[in-house]
Amino acid sequence: MKYFSWAYLVALFAFILLPVVTLVIFSFQDGRLPVPPFKGVTFEWYAKILSDRAMMEALGNSLVVALLSSLVALTLGFLAASGLARVVLPGSVLMRGLLIAPMTVSYLIIALGLLQMFNQVGIRPSLLATGIGHVVINLPLCFAILYAAIGEHQKSALKAARDLGAREWQVLWFVAAPMLTPALAAAFFLAFTFSWDEFIIAFLLTRFDVTLPVEIWSMLRSGLSPATNAVGSLVFLVSVVVVVALELTLFRKGSK
Amino acid sequence: MSIERQEKRQGAALVAPALLWTLAFFALPFAAMVMMSLAHLEGREIVQGHDLGNYLRIFTDPSLRRGIFVSLEITAVVTVISVLLAWPLAWIIATRVPARWRRMALLLAVLPFWTSYVVRSYSWALVLGEKGVVMNALVGLGLLAEPVQIMATRSATIIGFVHFFVMLLTLTIYSNLIQLSPNYARAAEDLGASKWQVIRLVILPLTLPGVMTGAFLTFVLCIGDYITPQILGGNNELTLPQLIMLQLGRRGDFPMASALSVVLMAMVTLAYAACARWLKMDRV
């Protein structure tokens, strides 16, 4: 049993890590194809990617869309969560259901619906349209995380602040937000990574200014190339750095 | 105004922006899409109507009907394989790996989550291709006389999906496993259960909520995904999302794309109803 466990662990880790390891190794391939045999190390592909203007613009677009859409989703989710945690409104259950609903719908369907509506009202495919779509997919996530984080303890503190005469915005800004910082940060970073990596909404709702996943997608059409591996490895590297930083700072307290 | 009414008004004011956003950019577009699914194409013009012609065609046109079955088959196979692979992994990490390495092991198990989704599918194309790492190794070791075609087949799609969902399911099952008190296992052992019986009769049933949550997520994300089948599966067998994109891209047939989406949505709703017992989403 014991040896079987370890063998299983190693086998599954090999399966899980195989494509990533392959991706990174062949991003250094000194040749035109990212497949064996490995011909030696070169940084040429990284240089090519980093000097590719379309790629860098897409990266910038992705950052802006992810940052702004996550902030909007976080704000809306935070307000809604504190509102629903505060009072029982007629139709509270229905409202929660509606706010969570987009989570269970395929991104493709959300994208298609928005595309048709934007067509009809004359909003052109753009980064703004994509950002609106990203708020739709991340709002449920932010709301759910924050709503779950507001416990009885928080509720009494907010009530106390109100009883002491704080205005609603003061309660939210000076009491609720500081108390919910870990949940707010978790929701923000999750929303950010979802938006950063989202493809189908960005693909259907952008035209000239594209985001990074869409740019990578169009790069794939020209066939296998170590340059694609290099982009992939860079994205991976950035994500790992963010995750490790989060692990070391934010979640350390929570895990112990 | 009474304090209670003022409270309610303020609460409603706080919820309003999020609700309006969801109504305007989720409910309304969805309603528009359902309306569109009742229209049809004449030449290149969309003619608004109230007929079920598109739905009729989905269930009679062999290629469209085939897409639904292909999607369902792939999703079912992926969900089952992923659960079977992920459960032991989650269990080993939760019980066999020393406590101080557990977080590390978990982090390593989900590491590829952090690559871009598009790139992850692409990297499986590298691995599975005719000249890829796997075929090279198998031929080199003499296990295969010549490379087997995996890329651009259903197998490649399934492998790519399973890779992603094993990570996801390992997370949901693991989070369920570590919440179980070790007392259950101890009590069962005291009562004379063998190790295997403890797992099968005590621990496994207690992890069902985690398994079902993960399986439902797998179902939703798998059946609605366009990227993995498009990159790995090729164009021999189209899945439902591929058909939807085809209607849009090649023909500009918004009505048919909408009808297919409504069907996709209906399948997800059915899956939700089937798992609702174990899913806590409505109780958030």
Side-chain angles (χ1 to χ4, degrees), chain B residues 84-280:
Chain B
L84 291 180
L85 286 178
W87 204 94
L89 182 64
W91 184 80
I92 290 168
I93 295 177
T95 60
R96 295 283 148 146
V97 173
R100 49 195 291 244
W101 293 108
R102 236 171 259 162
R103 247 184 118 70
M104 190 66 203
L106 207 60
L107 212 61
L108 210 58
V110 299
L111 199 64
F113 257 133
W114 306 107
T115 55
S116 136
Y117 190 84
V118 173
V119 170
R120 193 163 40 225
S121 288
Y122 161 81
S123 59
W124 271 111
L126 285 184
V127 170
L128 297 173
E130 209 179 307
K131 292 181 176 146
V133 180
V134 169
M135 286 309 151
N136 239 287
L138 290 177
V139 173
L141 291 169
L143 293 171
L144 280 180
E146 53 189 75
V148 180
Q149 164 94 20
I150 296 183
M151 264 307 289
T153 69
R154 187 190 286 203
S155 311
T157 307
I158 290 176
I159 291 173
F161 270 137
V162 166
H163 178 246
F164 184 66
F165 292 116
V166 161
M167 291 187 278
L168 187 82
L169 278 155
T170 302
L171 278 185
T172 60
I173 297 171
Y174 175 85
S175 65
N176 208 285
L177 274 172
I178 49 161
Q179 283 169 17
L180 295 184
S181 155
N183 289 337
Y184 291 122
R186 228 173 277 149
E189 271 174 21
D190 286 348
L191 293 168
S194 71
K195 278 224 151 67
W196 174 239
Q197 281 176 321
V198 172
I199 293 180
R200 192 166 57 90
L201 299 172
V202 181
I203 303 186
L204 199 55
L206 286 172
T207 58
L208 263 189
V211 171
M212 293 311 284
T213 310
F216 174 70
L217 282 175
T218 305
F219 185 93
V220 175
L221 296 175
C222 189
I223 205 160
D225 185 47
Y226 168 72
I227 298 172
T228 300
Q230 184 66 21
I231 294 182
L232 295 176
N235 288 317
N236 297 323
E237 258 194 338
L238 297 183
T239 61
L240 200 43
Q242 284 176 297
L243 283 173
I244 295 174
M245 292 295 279
L246 198 69
Q247 302 298 328
L248 280 187
R250 197 180 291 170
R251 315 190 43 225
D253 193 342
F254 275 93
M256 188 41 109
S258 301
L260 287 168
S261 303
V262 172
V263 170
L264 177 59
M265 181 73 200
M267 294 201 284
V268 172
T269 310
L270 281 178
Y272 181 80
C275 313
R277 236 183 94 189
W278 292 283
L279 300 174
K280 288 190 192 146

Side-chain angles (χ1 to χ4, degrees), chain A residues 8 13 16 19 22 36 79 86 88-89 96 104 109 112-113 116-117 135 168 197 220 225 229 236 239 243 247, chain B residues 7-8 10 14 21 29 36 85 103 105 109 112 114-117 122 126 131 133 163 248 254 258 261 284:
Chain A
Y8 190 84
F13 273 17
I16 288 173
T22 308
L79 293 179
R86 182 176 171 189
V88 179
L89 295 164
R96 288 209 301 266
T104 54
I109 294 179
L112 195 58
Q116 296 184 14
M117 193 181 83
V135 174
E168 192 56 32
D197 198 22
L220 293 184
S225 157
N229 289 43
F236 181 51
S239 312
V243 174
E247 177 75 18
Chain B
E7 286 246 310
K8 288 203 168 168
Q10 280 191 342
L14 291 175
W21 192 285
M36 180 62 90
L85 286 178
R103 247 184 118 70
W114 306 107
T115 55
S116 136
Y117 190 84
Y122 161 81
L126 285 184
K131 292 181 176 146
V133 180
H163 178 246
L248 280 187
F254 275 93
S258 301
S261 303
V284 168

Side-chain angles (χ1 to χ4, degrees), chain A residues 69-166:
Chain A
S69 72
S70 314
L71 281 176
V72 174
L74 189 71
T75 311
L76 295 180
F78 173 62
L79 293 179
S82 29
L84 282 177
R86 182 176 171 189
V87 280
V88 179
L89 295 164
S92 277
V93 177
L94 201 69
M95 288 184 200
R96 288 209 301 266
L98 182 64
L99 287 177
I100 298 289
M103 216 174 350
T104 54
V105 177
S106 158
Y107 288 1
L108 176 57
I109 294 179
I110 293 176
L112 195 58
L114 280 173
L115 178 64
Q116 296 184 14
M117 193 181 83
F118 287 162
N119 270 346
Q120 275 167 20
V121 294
I123 297 177
R124 300 252 143 233
S126 60
L127 291 177
L128 176 70
T130 302
I132 290 175
H134 285 183
V135 174
V136 172
I137 60 171
N138 282 324
L139 177 54
L141 184 84
C142 293
F143 169 73
I145 292 177
L146 293 167
Y147 188 73
I150 304 179
E152 284 309 313
H153 172 56
Q154 269 86 358
K155 281 186 199 167
S156 352
L158 301 185
K159 197 163 183 302
R162 275 185 213 110
D163 289 347
L164 291 169

